[in-house]
Amino acid sequence: MTSSPIERTVFVVSDSTGITAETFSNSVLSQFAQFEFQAVRIPFIDTIEKAQAVADRINQCAQEQGQQPLVFSTLVDPKMAHIIGAANCTFLDLFGAFVRHIERALGVKSSRSVGRSHSGGMSKRYNNRIEAINFSLAHDDGQYVNGLEQADVILVGVSRCGKTPTSLYLAMQYAVKAANYPLIPEDFQRGTLPATLAPYRKKIFGLSIHPDRLSEVRNERRPDSKYASVEQCRMEVAEAERLMRMEGIPWLSTTTKSIEEISTKILDDVGLDRRSY
Amino acid sequence: MTSSPIERTVFVVSDSTGITAETFSNSVLSQFAQFEFQAVRIPFIDTIEKAQAVADRINQCAQEQGQQPLVFSTLVDPKMAHIIGAANCTFLDLFGAFVRHIERALGVKSSRSVGRSHSGGMSKRYNNRIEAINFSLAHDDGQYVNGLEQADVILVGVSRCGKTPTSLYLAMQYAVKAANYPLIPEDFQRGTLPATLAPYRKKIFGLSIHPDRLSEVRNERRPDSKYASVEQCRMEVAEAERLMRMEGIPWLSTTTKSIEEISTKILDDVGLDRRSY
């Protein structure tokens, strides 16, 4: 009935960072577009005392606003979860809702140990991620071509089509060593891939972008330059797509996709095995 | 009873990337350490036909293995979720489990629209993230000091203590413009912060690390160098911590923490408002 969004407070409570719970809550709450949610993330709740303090905060919020806040929790410890659940709120227990179901399916009790899901800074998987980030940084924008044989994937595309953030995301999220290499007018004149890349054809993946969007992005960096002009962008994109088609390189358009979506599609397409998972 | 881990197949099915569902499933399943889970992520399931194909795959897996796989789903469309749920599996419906509860709390029906949670490549929030990544890259390792006034946070610490991956994570996950600046022996001799940083004291946050761990990390990069020696690392860390104490800079140790944990603690400590959320 009303056109201005209705405000609701959302608490995200976790014994760890709360990042997963917050991402999940954003995703579910996006289905209620008529509301404007004010999220309060409360991480590292790992004692009964801290849980009690959060419950007090939730109760105070409920009283002040005259309505129950939504509370997403990934607390593993059932005592702490119970304390939060007893507060004046709509309690959404992400961990508890599934762990019993899984216990039944597997025929065992869960360890219910706080901190188990945090690999910390010393695990193999963590070291792989850091190594991949360093690799992707060193091999950003073709600046360093030694070691390309170690790359899991090499992204190519015109300047500012999304190669750098995608490479970094692949490294950070998936421990994938992602190099990236720009396609520039010299490549289009020659009509072939840069010679440096020729031995690695199988791991090359292309990114493209709509010329109008590319022009927007480039204009932010170098306003009113030839580099940012729609004509130049149109030419470069057309040439890059022609080159990728000729060389048989798979590619996708980044225009309306997030880094997460682009990265997921690349992993699928290149058939990269997920590591350490 | 048996000491070798029991294998179980886990499907993660999503109409989007499945990244949230997969992170969540890893976290919950880490509570069942006696099992070894083989995760199969199946993203972009956005038609009835695709959902039916996934159900067939799940049924085949159940038959071949003689046991029901676990299936985590974030499918928004109830028809698609129903198709997967009817397969021979333990169905864990992350979306369905909470959406009804939230509908009751808010007194409205959800839009149940697929794709709503994906902001795509054009939203304000997405642009802020990309801008932050570019900023953090340009201001990595003190390489570019212009524009530090735009930084949300400036990380300082000795070489290889974790500044770069943390800066990039803050940018990518939280759209936080995180610069980083190394503390080097010259700073310790002078006994003050680099002059460049003096105007921005309030947004400076320090990272430290145990000298043994630092020596390990540096040895991977430059084996058997003075730079990587335990003595050198011990000296640099002690001096950096002394400097940070004297200058009143808040800091934390990265030794046993993941990038996610470090970043969350920094956000908490610096009191950075979460943007666009």
Side-chain angles (χ1 to χ4, degrees), chain A residues 60-133:
Chain A
Q60 197 187 340
C61 169
Q63 195 174 7
E64 282 173 15
Q65 300 185 346
Q67 60 185 4
Q68 293 189 328
L70 298 177
V71 179
F72 288 86
S73 157
T74 49
L75 293 174
V76 169
D77 184 291
K79 285 201 247 20
M80 296 180 206
H82 183 77
I83 290 169
I84 306 293
N88 189 8
C89 66
T90 299
F91 186 57
L92 304 156
D93 182 3
L94 270 66
F95 189 82
F98 296 106
V99 77
R100 276 183 295 277
H101 207 152
I102 298 170
E103 285 176 344
R104 266 201 305 278
L106 300 178
V108 296
K109 285 275 171 198
S110 77
S111 52
R112 282 271 186 177
S113 52
V114 175
R116 193 165 255 299
S117 61
H118 329 151
S119 56
M122 307 291 278
S123 72
K124 180 89 177 78
R125 157 133 182 99
Y126 185 75
N127 289 342
N128 286 346
R129 285 173 68 197
I130 299 294
E131 202 187 317
I133 292 169

Side-chain angles (χ1 to χ4, degrees), chain A residues 19-20 22 26 30-31 41 111-113 116 121 126-127 129 134 160 174 213 256 260 264 274, chain B residues 19 22-23 30-31 41 111-113 116 121 127 129 134 160 174 213 256 259-260 264 274 277:
Chain A
I19 293 170
T20 306
E22 184 170 45
N26 284 335
S30 68
Q31 297 289 328
R41 188 167 47 89
S111 52
R112 282 271 186 177
S113 52
R116 193 165 255 299
Y126 185 75
N127 289 342
R129 285 173 68 197
N134 290 332
R160 314 303 297 169
Y174 294 114
R213 173 69 184 147
T256 59
E260 286 82 353
T264 306
R274 312 290 318 288
Chain B
I19 293 170
E22 184 170 45
T23 311
S30 68
Q31 297 289 328
R41 188 167 47 88
S111 52
R112 284 271 185 176
S113 52
R116 192 163 253 300
N127 288 342
R129 285 173 69 197
N134 289 333
R160 314 302 298 166
Y174 294 113
R213 174 69 185 147
T256 59
I259 316 175
E260 286 82 353
T264 306
R274 311 292 316 291
Y277 255 33

